[in-house]
């Protein structure tokens, strides 16, 4: 068969047509003869027909190659040079993305001569491989000329070897080698900068990983790169190979860095999983909190505490106020001092506390049994500073009196105790009766101070289920000079009563109030007070407090001007009052001068009783509620017709919404809890979409929960008599990655009911529920105190060194897994209320009380820091610069001691 090619090869197994010819690439000898025979090719190029058939696939590497005649070889070489000069005008294509991603690189080294690609011509159908559909030639476009035609056109004009025009001068930022495209110097400089930045950040770590200086056997990509660089001594590389090397260099270095921790390091940093997206090196990296803090806790546990100190200080300066509700000033003539006979119905019935003993960790105790009188206290311990006092009945409501930061004022707590130890109240019915609201002064919270009963307020509205102080703007200096009968104000207090009403009291400073009583007045002082406002449901025309049932929970608007007060009722209603309103539909002035306020907004939040309410402290538009229908609902008060998020979980008893976080910590009853999931949970509000974080397991019902915004810590008291604290991780990130949550919680004290036959010196101080024989099942208070006493086992809170190996920690962990509850007796050791101090001057103090009527105050000294001490000094200087307190009036029996800041830990 005749073809127009210049070289023929006979095929051993031909197709049905017969022999076939293919065009072969010129060999190395042709290249050596170019310089000699380039002049002879000019005359022959015009007579060569360019319609040559293309080579068939599969025959490019045939070993049977025939050498061309010298004239034809030189002609082919000249055509290739013309084609190469023609292609030099066009930018060279880069490697495909797939090749760069997979790390495929072109072989470097001396270039092999490319095979001549003649223009396509119509082929005989028999020459095509019928089994290979890809071998079918593509039709040529009409507007395009073949390369052979272009070459003939150039040769006809006398251009033997056209030269490519000189490229434009690149910018100065590019490095342009002769005959090559500009290199991307900016990208290379950026890569070097990022590598240096990574080395600087890694050098600050305790165990930096040194980058290798020589190639390793475990890095084949690096070895291939070095070998290929050695194979190209002349440095002639195409731009595509440079681009690929630029990408692969980063990949190779990343591979070396990921393998570096596994080679001979004593304590390597765990490598990130490959499924995790790689973060940018130039972005802000998460700080590494390594090491141990001075208190013995790891720095990654204490880091959220230090963060909360700054956030709370800044947000309180923005959200809190110095003075609000100027029209509600205490009046002396509204405070009527009761005689002993008049005050007797309001006093708790128990005049003596049950026997109790305190066992402090690390101190040798003699096991002394204490029994104190009603409204009396035990002097603070000289080393641990814990205080105990007896209120006379079971504690059900408790709150600290807020004071401004840096005010150097004495601390106060308000509480309510039931008159009878065995008293019960059905929630489905309204209840009214005598009760006593107590105000206790804690002094300066120093070792030489003690808790003392300041005064009491006699109430006839039944049981007080909740009480809340106005968060800010209600306190003024004790020595404020006011014209009689006005008294300096200590705070505004709201009470949630079992008769369905909410009472609002304006409390005076004890020094100014007690200075007006006669010297022979009854001690303690019990007053009958007219409240400044009575808040109830309904309207002016239809006012029936019984339609909503008992008021069970309160929440005061946390941001200034604190004008709204929310209350949760037994029938599931949440009611809001506007306190400074002047609307005649919401405000009525009574004959005795007090006010009656009606709500401006209410909605049905739950199908059953609203057990607790919490306002968002950063934004007053958001509220969370928990009800007996086992639901937790987040509300936007601008759209109260539907909750933002509704979560049905266990029976929640109390909530704590800490200032920096977008979620609530929930305490729960164990009646509906699944096995192993009873305890304290952190639940995201739904904005971040995090799963619930199991903060601490509990075996019994958690009655109360409190959170400290200053410490980022929550405290919980349960039915078993154990009070624990847990430091929350940074909830701004997903808590699913939190490791070893057991290291974040610790016990504060454990109360056990111990029979008399076990002497305090010889017994092992283990609770009856954790292995000791059960005491007689006493169902009344009298039977219980006749055969038992309370044993308080306190933890040393000054330091947390070796916390996991200490006896209180081991006892807490054992109780979390194997304790058993005895619910058919009076739980005298149960803790009903826990409250952290909201004040900066006493931010580490915690007060708790329960069924026994004993209230205890503890100082978590280990969580204090020099940062908070510096904040105290700055706040005190700022407060003294704003206010010049005059000399206070000293009341009888209560000298006003100057408040001292906590010592630097």
């Amino acid at each position: 068969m005749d073809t127009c090619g210049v070289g023929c090869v006979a095929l051993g197994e031909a197709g049905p047509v017969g022999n076939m010819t293919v065009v072969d690439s010129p060999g190395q000898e042709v290249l050596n003869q170019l310089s000699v025979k380039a002049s002879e090719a000019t005359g022959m190029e015009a007579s060569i027909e360019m319609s040559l058939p293309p080579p068939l696939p599969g025959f490019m590497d045939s070993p049977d190659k025939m050498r061309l005649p010298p004239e034809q070889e030189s002609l082919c070489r000249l055509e290739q040079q013309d084609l190469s000069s023609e292609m030099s005008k066009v930018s060279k294509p880069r490697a495909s993305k797939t090749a760069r991603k997979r790390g495929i690189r072109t072989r470097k080294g001396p270039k092999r001569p490319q095979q001549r690609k003649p223009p396509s011509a119509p082929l005989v159908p028999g020459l095509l491989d019928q089994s290979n559909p890809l071998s079918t030639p593509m039709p040529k476009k009409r507007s395009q000329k073949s390369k052979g035609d272009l070459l003939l056109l150039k040769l006809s004009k006398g251009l033997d070897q056209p030269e490519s025009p000189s490229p434009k001068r690149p910018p100065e930022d590019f490095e342009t080698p002769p005959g090559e495209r500009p290199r991307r110097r900016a990208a290379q400089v950026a890569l070097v900068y990022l590598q240096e930045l990574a080395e600087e950040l890694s050098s600050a770590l305790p165990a930096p990983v040194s980058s290798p200086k020589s190639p390793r056997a475990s890095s084949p990509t690096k070895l291939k790169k070095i070998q290929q660089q050695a194979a190209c001594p002349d440095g002639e590389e195409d731009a595509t190979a440079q681009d690929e090397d630029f990408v692969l260099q980063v990949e190779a270095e990343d591979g070396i860095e990921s393998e570096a921790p596994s080679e001979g390091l004593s304590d390597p940093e765990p490598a990130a999983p490959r499924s995790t997206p790689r973060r940018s090196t130039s972005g802000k990296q998460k700080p590494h909190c390594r090491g141990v803090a001075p208190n013995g806790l790891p720095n990654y546990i204490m880091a959220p505490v230090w963060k909360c100190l700054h956030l709370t200080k800044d947000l309180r300066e923005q959200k809190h106020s110095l003075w609000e509700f100027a029209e509600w000033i205490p009046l002396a003539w509204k405070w009527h001092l009761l005689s002993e006979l008049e005050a007797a119905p309001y006093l708790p019935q128990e005049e003596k506390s049950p026997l109790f003993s305190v066992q402090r960790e690390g101190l040798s105790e003699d096991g002394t049994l204490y029994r104190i009188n009603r409204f009396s206290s035990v002097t603070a311990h000289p080393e641990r500073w814990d205080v105990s006092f007896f209120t006379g009945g079971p504690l059900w409501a408790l709150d600290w009196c807020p004071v401004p930061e840096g005010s150097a004022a004495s601390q106060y707590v308000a509480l309510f105790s039931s008159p009878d130890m065995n008293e019960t109240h059905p929630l489905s019915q309204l209840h009214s009766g005598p009760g006593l609201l107590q105000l206790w002064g804690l002094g300066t919270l120093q070792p030489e101070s003690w808790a003392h009963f300041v005064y009491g307020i006699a109430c006839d509205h039944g049981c007080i289920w909740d009480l809340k102080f106005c968060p800010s703007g209600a306190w003024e200096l004790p020595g404020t000079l006011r014209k009689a009968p006005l008294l300096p104000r200590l705070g505004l207090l709201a009470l949630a009563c079992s008769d369905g009403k909410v009472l609002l009291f304006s409390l005076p400073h004890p020094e100014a109030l007690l200075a007006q009583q006669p010297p022979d007045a009854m001690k303690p002082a019990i007053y009958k007070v007219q409240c400044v406002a009575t808040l109830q449901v309904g309207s002016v025309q239809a006012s029936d407090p019984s339609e909503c049932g008992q008021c069970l929970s309160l929440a005061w608007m946390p941001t200034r001007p604190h004008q709204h007060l929310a209350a949760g009722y037994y029938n599931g209603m949440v009611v809001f009052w506007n306190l400074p309103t002047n609307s005649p539909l919401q405000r009525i002035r009574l004959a005795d001068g007090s006010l009656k306020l009606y709500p401006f907004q209410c909605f049905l939040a739950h199908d059953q009783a609203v057990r607790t309410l919490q306002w968002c402290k950063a934004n007053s538009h958001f509220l969370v509620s928990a009800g007996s229908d086992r639901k937790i609902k987040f509300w936007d008060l601008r759209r109260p017709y539907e909750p933002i998020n509704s979560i049905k979980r266990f029976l929640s008893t109390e909530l704590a919404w800490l200032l920096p976080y977008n979620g609530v910590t929930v305490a729960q009853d164990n009646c509906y809890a699944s096995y192993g999931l009873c305890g304290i949970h952190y639940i995201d509000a739904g904005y971040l979409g995090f799963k619930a974080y199991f903060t601490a397991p509990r075996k019994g019902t958690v009655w109360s929960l409190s959170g400290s915004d200053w410490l980022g810590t929550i405290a919980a008291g349960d039915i078993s008599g154990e009070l624990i604290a847990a430091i929350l991780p940074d909830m701004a990130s997903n808590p699913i990655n939190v490791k070893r949550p057991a290291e974040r919680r610790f016990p504060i004290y454990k109360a056990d009911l111990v029979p008399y036959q076990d002497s305090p010196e010889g017994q092992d101080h283990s609770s009856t529920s954790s292995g000791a024989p059960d005491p007689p099942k006493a169902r009344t208070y009298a039977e219980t105190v006749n055969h038992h006493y309370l044993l308080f086992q306190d933890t040393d809170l000054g330091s947390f060194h070796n916390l996991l190996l200490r006896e209180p920690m081991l006892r807490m962990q054992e109780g979390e897994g194997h304790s058993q509850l005895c619910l058919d007796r009076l739980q005298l050791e149960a803790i009903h209320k826990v409250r952290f101090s909201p004040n900066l001057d006493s931010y580490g103090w915690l007060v708790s009380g329960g069924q026994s009527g004993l209230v205890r105050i503890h100082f978590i000294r280990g969580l204090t820091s020099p940062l908070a001490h510096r904040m105290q000094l700055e706040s005190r200087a700022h407060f003294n610069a704003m206010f010049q307190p005059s000399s206070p009036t000293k009341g009888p029996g209560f000298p006003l001691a100057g408040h001292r800041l906590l010592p630097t830990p």
Side-chain angles (χ1 to χ4, degrees):
M1 176 179 177
D2 296 332
T3 59
C4 299
V6 294
C8 299
V9 60
L11 297 179
E13 297 180 0
V17 179
N19 294 336
M20 186 183 303
T21 59
V22 296
V23 179
D24 193 12
S25 300
Q28 186 66 27
E29 298 178 0
V30 179
L31 299 177
N32 299 334
Q33 299 174 4
L34 285 177
S35 59
V36 180
K37 299 184 179 182
S39 60
E40 301 178 1
T42 307
M44 299 181 61
E45 287 177 355
S47 62
I48 299 300
E49 185 176 355
M50 302 305 298
S51 60
L52 300 177
L56 295 178
F59 295 92
M60 296 299 298
D61 299 331
S62 177
D64 302 326
K65 299 180 181 178
M66 297 183 64
R67 183 171 299 176
L68 301 177
E71 294 81 7
Q72 296 179 357
E73 289 180 348
S74 61
L75 176 61
C76 294
R77 179 57 183 169
L78 186 58
E79 291 175 355
Q80 288 183 354
Q81 290 180 356
D82 293 337
L83 289 175
S84 62
S85 64
E86 194 59 34
M87 295 299 296
S88 63
K89 300 179 182 180
V90 185
S91 59
K92 299 181 180 180
R94 299 184 58 182
S96 63
K97 296 183 179 180
T98 308
R100 291 201 301 271
K101 289 182 180 179
R102 297 180 180 176
I104 302 175
R105 293 183 294 180
T106 58
R107 183 178 178 182
K108 301 177 183 178
K111 294 185 179 180
R112 296 179 59 185
Q114 298 181 358
Q115 182 181 358
R116 191 181 71 173
K117 297 181 180 179
S120 60
L123 296 179
V124 181
L127 296 178
L128 299 178
D129 189 3
Q130 301 297 330
S131 62
N132 188 4
L134 298 178
S135 60
T136 305
M138 297 296 295
K140 184 177 63 174
K141 296 183 180 179
R142 296 182 180 179
S143 60
Q144 292 182 353
K145 292 185 178 181
S146 63
K147 296 180 181 179
D149 297 339
L150 294 175
L151 184 58
L152 288 176
L153 182 61
K154 292 180 182 294
L155 292 176
S156 63
K157 294 180 181 180
L159 300 176
D160 298 339
Q161 188 174 357
E163 298 180 358
S164 60
S166 59
K168 291 185 178 181
R169 182 178 181 85
E172 297 181 357
D173 292 343
F174 287 81
E175 180 180 349
T176 309
E180 298 182 7
R181 61 175 283 182
R183 295 180 181 176
R184 297 179 295 175
R185 181 187 297 177
Q188 293 178 355
V189 171
L191 177 62
V192 172
Y193 169 73
L194 294 178
Q195 291 176 351
E196 293 177 355
L197 182 61
E199 292 177 359
E200 291 178 2
L201 293 176
S202 61
S203 62
L205 301 179
V209 180
S210 59
S211 58
K213 297 182 179 180
S214 61
R216 302 177 182 174
S218 60
S219 181
T221 310
K222 191 74 175 180
L223 290 176
K224 292 180 181 179
K225 183 171 183 288
I226 296 175
Q227 293 174 1
Q228 293 177 2
Q229 289 179 355
C232 302
D234 54 349
E236 295 182 357
E237 300 177 358
D238 57 343
T240 305
Q242 291 179 6
D243 294 345
E244 292 176 356
D245 289 343
F246 179 77
V247 177
L248 288 173
Q249 182 181 1
V250 182
E251 296 178 357
E253 290 174 0
D254 292 344
I256 294 175
E257 290 177 2
S258 63
E259 295 171 1
S262 62
E263 294 189 12
L265 292 179
S266 58
D267 189 11
E269 186 73 9
R274 294 186 179 272
S275 60
T276 304
R278 185 180 179 89
R279 297 179 59 185
S280 175
T281 313
S282 60
K284 184 177 180 182
Q285 294 186 355
K286 186 177 181 180
H288 295 270
C289 299
R290 300 184 179 181
V292 180
N295 60 357
L297 292 176
N299 282 333
Y300 68 85
I301 294 180
M302 290 299 298
V305 177
W306 303 327
K307 175 184 175 182
C308 290
L309 284 170
H310 286 288
L311 291 177
T312 304
K313 183 69 166 57
D314 296 340
L315 287 178
R316 286 202 173 194
E317 291 177 354
Q318 302 173 12
K319 304 296 183 180
H320 280 197
S321 175
L322 292 176
W323 186 248
E324 298 291 343
F325 305 105
E327 69 277 7
W328 289 342
I329 305 297
L331 296 174
W333 58 269
K334 289 187 177 181
W335 289 73
H336 174 62
L337 183 64
L338 299 181
S339 63
E340 184 177 358
L341 184 61
E342 293 173 340
Y346 299 96
L347 297 179
Q349 297 180 3
E350 296 298 328
E351 298 182 358
K352 298 287 185 180
S353 71
L355 287 174
F356 67 95
S357 178
V358 181
Q359 179 72 32
R360 298 176 178 88
E361 180 193 10
L363 298 179
S364 58
E365 302 285 348
D366 54 359
T368 304
L369 292 177
Y370 298 92
R371 188 192 294 271
I372 56 179
N373 296 327
R374 182 179 57 193
F375 307 143
S376 300
S377 65
V378 179
T379 308
H381 193 270
E383 297 184 18
R384 304 293 171 82
W385 299 6
D386 58 284
V387 182
S388 302
F389 57 89
F390 181 57
T391 62
L395 184 69
W396 288 108
L398 177 66
D399 199 16
W400 289 75
C401 178
V403 297
E405 285 77 17
S407 60
S410 299
Q411 307 293 315
Y412 296 92
V413 293
L415 56 91
F416 173 80
S417 294
S418 297
D420 189 2
M421 286 287 186
N422 302 315
E423 185 178 12
T424 58
H425 302 283
L427 295 180
S428 58
Q429 302 175 3
L430 297 180
H431 169 72
S432 61
L436 183 66
L437 175 67
Q438 305 177 25
L439 183 67
W440 287 77
L442 307 181
T444 59
L445 292 176
Q446 297 295 321
E448 65 272 10
S449 63
W450 68 94
H452 56 275
F453 180 85
V454 177
Y455 57 78
I457 299 177
C459 300
D460 295 304
H461 300 275
C463 182
I464 299 176
W465 294 118
D466 197 6
L467 55 88
K468 288 290 189 299
F469 275 98
C470 181
S472 68
W475 184 93
E476 61 181 338
L477 291 169
T480 303
L481 298 178
R482 289 193 176 275
K483 186 177 180 180
L486 298 178
L487 300 174
R489 189 173 67 186
L490 177 66
L492 291 175
L493 181 64
L495 310 179
C497 303
S498 59
D499 62 349
K501 297 181 180 179
V502 177
L503 305 180
L504 194 61
F505 288 94
S506 179
L507 303 182
H509 276 279
E511 296 84 4
L513 180 63
L514 298 178
Q516 298 186 0
Q517 68 180 10
D520 57 346
M522 185 194 72
K523 300 291 182 61
I526 307 297
Y527 290 89
K528 189 70 174 178
V529 188
Q530 179 183 342
C531 60
V532 296
T534 301
L535 286 64
Q536 65 183 48
V537 297
S539 61
V540 177
Q541 298 180 353
S543 177
D544 186 10
S546 63
E547 60 178 324
C548 291
Q550 299 188 26
C551 184
L552 303 178
S553 57
L554 289 175
W556 208 306
M557 182 178 176
T559 59
R560 59 185 179 191
H562 312 293
Q563 59 186 358
H564 294 164
L565 185 67
Y569 281 85
Y570 173 75
N571 67 340
M573 294 290 295
V574 174
V575 182
F576 297 87
W577 291 274
N578 186 15
L579 300 180
T581 181
N582 292 322
S583 172
L585 301 178
Q586 302 174 13
R587 177 187 176 114
I588 297 177
R589 177 73 65 175
L590 300 180
D592 55 359
S594 63
L595 296 175
K596 179 179 288 188
L597 300 180
Y598 293 99
F600 75 95
Q601 185 182 21
C602 57
F603 57 87
L604 185 63
H606 295 271
D607 298 333
Q608 298 181 22
V610 180
R611 300 178 67 96
T612 180
L613 290 173
Q614 280 289 325
W615 228 304
C616 178
K617 299 175 184 177
N619 192 336
S620 297
H621 292 304
F622 300 100
L623 184 82
V624 62
S625 62
S628 298
D629 56 355
R630 300 168 54 190
K631 290 183 180 180
I632 301 173
K633 296 184 179 181
F634 294 87
W635 302 90
D636 186 349
L637 299 181
R638 295 165 293 187
R639 294 178 292 273
Y641 49 83
E642 184 180 6
I644 300 175
N645 194 9
S646 179
I647 305 170
K648 186 171 183 179
R649 293 181 62 87
F650 316 128
L651 183 61
S652 303
T653 56
E654 198 164 10
L655 301 172
W657 197 336
L658 296 187
L659 183 62
Y661 302 134
N662 186 45
V664 295
T665 310
V666 186
Q668 64 184 20
D669 197 336
N670 61 348
C671 58
Y672 295 108
S674 303
Y675 179 77
L677 294 179
C678 179
I680 306 167
H681 298 258
Y682 175 85
I683 300 177
D684 182 72
Y687 178 75
L688 298 177
F690 296 156
K691 292 184 178 180
Y693 170 67
F694 197 18
T695 305
R698 297 283 87 197
K699 282 298 181 182
T701 299
V702 182
W703 278 113
S704 181
L705 184 73
S706 178
S708 173
D709 296 329
W710 299 102
L711 300 176
T713 305
I714 56 101
D718 56 18
I719 194 174
S720 64
E722 188 169 20
L723 177 63
I724 67 166
I727 304 174
L728 294 179
D730 189 1
M731 291 302 177
S733 57
N734 198 339
I736 196 174
N737 300 322
V738 175
K739 306 300 181 183
R740 297 183 294 274
E743 297 181 0
R744 297 180 176 271
R745 61 180 182 267
F746 53 89
I748 297 177
Y749 71 85
K750 177 70 170 68
D752 292 321
L753 196 62
V754 182
Y756 278 145
Q757 55 265 26
D758 296 338
S759 62
E761 296 84 357
Q763 52 94 22
D764 57 352
H765 302 298
S766 61
S767 65
T768 57
S769 60
S770 57
D774 291 338
K777 297 178 181 179
R779 300 181 181 275
T780 63
Y781 174 78
E783 295 176 357
T784 304
V785 297
N786 289 336
H787 299 89
H788 306 83
Y789 69 94
L790 288 173
L791 175 64
F792 296 101
Q793 304 175 59
D794 291 5
T795 306
D796 183 9
L797 302 175
S799 175
F800 298 104
H801 290 280
N802 300 324
L803 179 63
L804 297 178
L805 302 178
R806 287 158 58 174
E807 193 271 337
M809 193 71 177
L810 297 177
R811 182 183 65 244
M812 182 192 72
Q813 294 177 353
E814 181 183 0
E816 291 174 352
H818 304 287
S819 64
Q820 297 179 358
L821 296 175
C822 183
L823 300 179
D824 55 350
R825 64 173 177 86
L826 180 65
Q827 304 290 332
L828 192 64
E829 71 275 18
I831 300 174
H832 292 164
K833 284 297 174 182
V834 179
R835 288 294 180 267
F836 263 110
S837 173
N839 305 319
L840 178 60
D841 294 334
S842 57
Y843 71 99
W845 289 85
L846 181 69
V847 60
S848 60
Q851 179 65 36
S852 63
L854 291 170
V855 179
R856 308 198 67 206
I857 306 173
H858 291 81
F859 178 37
I860 311 179
R861 193 184 310 177
L863 294 183
T864 58
S865 61
L867 175 62
H869 184 72
R870 185 172 69 251
M871 287 184 178
Q872 289 177 335
L873 296 176
E874 294 174 355
S875 299
R876 185 172 182 179
H878 179 69
F879 186 87
N880 293 335
M882 294 181 61
F883 303 97
Q884 295 296 332
S886 58
S887 58
T889 304
K890 294 185 179 181
F894 300 102
L896 181 64
H899 180 73
R900 295 203 302 269
L901 297 176
L902 301 178
T904 304

